[in-house]
Amino acid sequence: MKLTTKILSLIVVLLMMGAAAITVNKRIIGHEIVKAHEDAVAIDTDTMTVMPDGNIVIHAAPFAKSNIGYAGPVPLDIYIHDGKIAQIEPLPNSETPSFFNRTKVLFSKWEGQSPDRAAKLHVDAVTGATYTSMAIINNVNDGLDYYLNIEGGTSHSFPAKMWIALLVTLAACIFPLFVKNKFYNYVQLTANVVVLGFWCGQFLDYSLMLKYLSDGFALPGAIVAIVMLIAAFIYPLFGRTQHYCNHICPLGSAQILVARICGYKIHLSAGVIKALDWFRKILWAVLMFMLWADCLTGWMDLELFQAFQFRSAEWGIIIAAIVFVALSAVVARPYCRFVCPTGSLFKRAENLG
């Protein structure tokens, strides 16, 4: 396929996703396109309130516009009583409740501390809710920096495990281009599952891509996702089709590893494969129309990648992921080939035909 045709396919897919971001989130790259509904999360622009008794309330909502969580801003208020942080109160937000509830444990890290000491604390993100955690951590740090008149401060931190996730992702992007060693391939696939999947919760899905299209990239937290997006959308322009799906995606890696356990494989006829492929295409088209119509968009939270965040994922998602991974022992990558909406999007970006 000619490079110009590939570029055209990529542009069309980006326009399709941009339309979905505008329809679902009412904004594109941080710019409001459609006036927010009355019940949308409001962000107060006042940064600090001094109470009659001398106590302070820091409103971190203004910083939340740049410290974006998984689904949007994560505003909060920091209450300072008698020189110490008495309470951190989250405000209404668009995060998935099950994920957000897991991150509330972070508040106790700062509560009871003086603002000066709290601003110097190194707080790690909660495993399985990294984006929401980092939004909370950065909002608290920015709010405390404002209170202490610290310029720069400790905001926008990048936890050590995210550096490891970045190294694993870079290795998956680079080494398969030159290394064909079977042992290395096992190690890389295992690292994808363990580090990117279970430990760091780093993968591409519709929710994440719409988030970035709607709000832009908040660095350095988005570095890993940016590298993954390059592998998913840019590599195919140079002949590396489905590089993300085959070499980086944690769920794809899990299916490939399990497939190597069993030598027996169920033979699917050409007719069955064609029918399943049409099912995948039709399913993807229906789901895209749901996004454009802003109808039943909650399907994005049902992609099986969420199973890696098993502490907060729904049991139905976990069971479905286990079934597909187990099935991959006898049918090569069944979820990737016949269901995955995110994978279908990448295929369309490679070739609209």
Side-chain angles (χ1 to χ4, degrees):
M1 185 187 301
K2 294 183 178 179
L3 179 61
T4 53
T5 304
K6 294 180 179 180
I7 294 175
L8 178 62
S9 297
L10 176 58
I11 291 174
V12 170
V13 165
L14 291 177
L15 290 175
M16 293 167 66
M17 290 295 288
I22 292 172
T23 304
V24 175
N25 295 326
K26 312 298 186 285
R27 58 188 182 276
I28 188 77
I29 315 298
H31 299 285
E32 296 289 338
I33 302 298
V34 180
K35 186 176 180 180
H37 297 297
E38 293 180 0
D39 59 350
V41 176
I43 296 182
D44 192 353
T45 56
D46 294 331
T47 308
M48 191 170 72
T49 299
V50 180
M51 308 299 289
D53 58 5
N55 291 322
I56 303 293
V57 181
I58 303 171
H59 308 290
F63 310 115
K65 294 180 179 180
S66 58
N67 297 326
I68 303 298
Y70 195 86
V74 187
L76 50 86
D77 284 345
I78 305 170
Y79 291 81
I80 300 177
H81 293 175
D82 299 324
K84 292 187 176 181
I85 298 174
Q87 179 186 5
I88 297 178
E89 180 183 357
L91 302 178
N93 58 72
S94 302
E95 300 297 275
T96 302
S98 58
F99 290 156
F100 186 78
N101 288 336
R102 291 192 57 211
T103 63
K104 290 182 178 179
V105 68
L106 295 173
F107 300 150
S108 63
K109 306 290 186 181
W110 297 287
E111 291 171 349
Q113 305 284 347
S114 68
D116 181 65
R117 180 175 175 79
K120 298 175 182 178
L121 288 176
H122 176 75
V123 178
D124 291 327
V126 175
T127 300
T130 304
Y131 291 102
T132 305
S133 298
M134 292 309 301
I136 291 173
I137 292 169
N138 290 331
N139 284 338
V140 170
N141 286 335
D142 283 347
L144 293 174
D145 286 353
Y146 177 86
Y147 175 72
L148 297 169
N149 292 317
I150 299 175
E151 296 184 1
T154 57
S155 62
H156 307 293
S157 57
F158 198 60
K161 70 178 183 179
M162 296 302 290
W163 285 111
I164 297 175
L166 179 60
L167 290 175
V168 171
T169 305
L170 288 173
C173 287
I174 297 172
F175 287 115
L177 302 179
F178 310 101
V179 179
K180 305 302 179 183
N181 182 276
K182 187 175 182 180
F183 175 75
Y184 162 74
N185 186 248
Y186 274 113
V187 172
Q188 181 68 64
L189 293 173
T190 302
N192 295 343
V193 175
V194 176
V195 177
L196 299 182
F198 288 110
W199 191 31
C200 298
Q202 293 288 309
F203 44 77
L204 298 179
D205 61 7
Y206 260 81
S207 294
L208 185 65
M209 288 185 284
L210 284 191
K211 159 186 149 50
Y212 286 139
L213 283 170
S214 298
D215 301 306
F217 296 100
L219 297 175
I223 289 178
V224 177
I226 290 173
V227 175
M228 289 182 174
L229 287 168
I230 291 173
F233 289 111
I234 305 302
Y235 271 39
L237 297 178
F238 302 96
R240 297 295 300 186
T241 59
Q242 298 183 49
H243 187 92
Y244 171 81
C245 298
N246 294 328
H247 299 285
I248 303 175
C249 175
L251 186 55
S253 298
Q255 292 175 84
I256 294 173
L257 286 171
V258 171
R260 295 176 180 177
I261 295 175
C262 178
Y264 171 76
K265 294 292 183 288
I266 296 176
H267 175 72
L268 300 178
S269 67
V272 170
I273 292 177
K274 184 175 181 180
L276 289 172
D277 188 57
W278 270 108
F279 167 78
R280 176 184 57 79
K281 292 178 180 179
I282 293 171
L283 174 65
W284 177 75
V286 170
L287 295 177
M288 284 299 302
F289 275 114
M290 286 182 179
L291 294 181
W292 294 332
D294 196 14
C295 172
L296 300 176
T297 58
W299 68 260
M300 291 187 294
D301 296 326
L302 301 178
E303 289 197 87
L304 297 192
F305 311 109
Q306 306 299 331
F308 285 107
Q309 303 174 338
F310 59 90
R311 292 184 181 89
S312 55
E314 299 291 339
W315 275 106
I317 293 176
I318 295 174
I319 293 172
I322 292 174
V323 169
F324 272 103
V325 171
L327 183 61
S328 65
V330 292
V331 178
R333 300 169 64 224
Y335 183 74
C336 298
R337 295 167 63 199
F338 306 127
V339 179
C340 183
T342 296
S344 295
L345 180 75
F346 296 154
K347 290 179 180 179
R348 296 285 72 75
E350 295 175 5
N351 177 16
L352 287 177

